[in-house]
Amino acid sequence: MTAAEVRSLWRDIVNETTSTIPADSQIDRLMNLGSEAFNRRVYFNYEDPTITLVGSTQEYAIAADVVDVIWVVWNDMPVEKLSMSEMRKRSATQRNWRTAKGAPEFYYHSGRNLGFVPIPDGDAVAETATVTYRCITTPDRFEGSPSCLAKMCDQDHPLLAFYAASLWFGSPNGGSRTVLADFYMKLFESEAAGARISYGARALEG
């Protein structure tokens, strides 16, 4: 579907029976929220950037729109992911664990930083200075010819209209029609849950 077709579906769903007829720009803002919500559930929008390691540097800045980091590879080997809670547990039980230096064995994602443990030392950097990671990022805006649609399966494009319709029906402009708002949100969640397995498997692939 094109952006115009998804918008048209949204208009068909809401039937534009209210006195407030939204412009395309207003519909697109709702579609943006739908695209972001779908991405948080199924991880369809991902990239594979690289980082250049620097000796004795533990954390590296990553893009502000990174939602999550799925995997990291250094020297053709996977680097194990650690949550921040796991980091705290290990630091509490293993003295100086986080400040040790050597080849990176673990990575953690904290805000806008990607960190490594042990801290990469000169030998690790000399061996391979480049780290590749797969990250889930915020989809492009819906306006114009959105690339977010190209990254989704065609059959899932209507989900953006379902989510946007739910938001509209739940708003004063949409008549605060809670039954319809709940119906379309449940429809969105049900379809997104069905798509999660295939998208998730694709995001995990190297």
Side-chain angles (χ1 to χ4, degrees), residues 31-143:
M31 295 293 187
N32 286 332
L33 296 175
S35 175
E36 291 173 8
F38 188 60
N39 190 45
R40 284 194 298 271
R41 287 157 179 77
V42 307
Y43 286 179
F44 76 85
N45 197 73
Y46 56 83
E47 301 173 10
D48 295 346
T50 60
I51 286 175
T52 300
L53 298 178
V54 177
S56 300
T57 301
Q58 184 163 44
E59 294 190 346
Y60 300 81
I62 56 177
D65 67 342
V66 171
V67 178
D68 196 9
V69 177
I70 303 302
W71 51 250
V72 171
V73 170
W74 170 79
N75 198 23
D76 294 327
M77 297 183 297
V79 181
E80 186 178 341
K81 183 175 185 176
L82 285 179
S83 67
M84 294 310 295
S85 61
E86 290 170 328
M87 289 282 294
R88 286 190 291 271
K89 286 179 184 177
R90 284 180 179 252
S91 297
T93 57
Q94 302 177 45
R95 190 174 182 180
N96 300 327
W97 173 79
R98 187 168 176 172
T99 57
K101 293 184 179 182
E105 298 176 17
F106 305 94
Y107 77 90
Y108 60 91
H109 175 206
S110 176
R112 296 183 182 181
N113 291 308
L114 188 62
F116 299 95
V117 179
I119 300 169
D121 61 9
D123 290 341
V125 172
E127 188 170 358
T128 304
T130 302
V131 166
T132 301
Y133 64 101
R134 174 157 294 177
C135 58
I136 306 303
T137 57
T138 302
D140 291 338
R141 306 290 291 176
F142 187 83
E143 294 89 339

Side-chain angles (χ1 to χ4, degrees), residues 173-184:
N173 285 338
S176 299
R177 288 174 278 186
T178 12
V179 172
L180 284 172
D182 289 346
F183 173 80
Y184 280 102

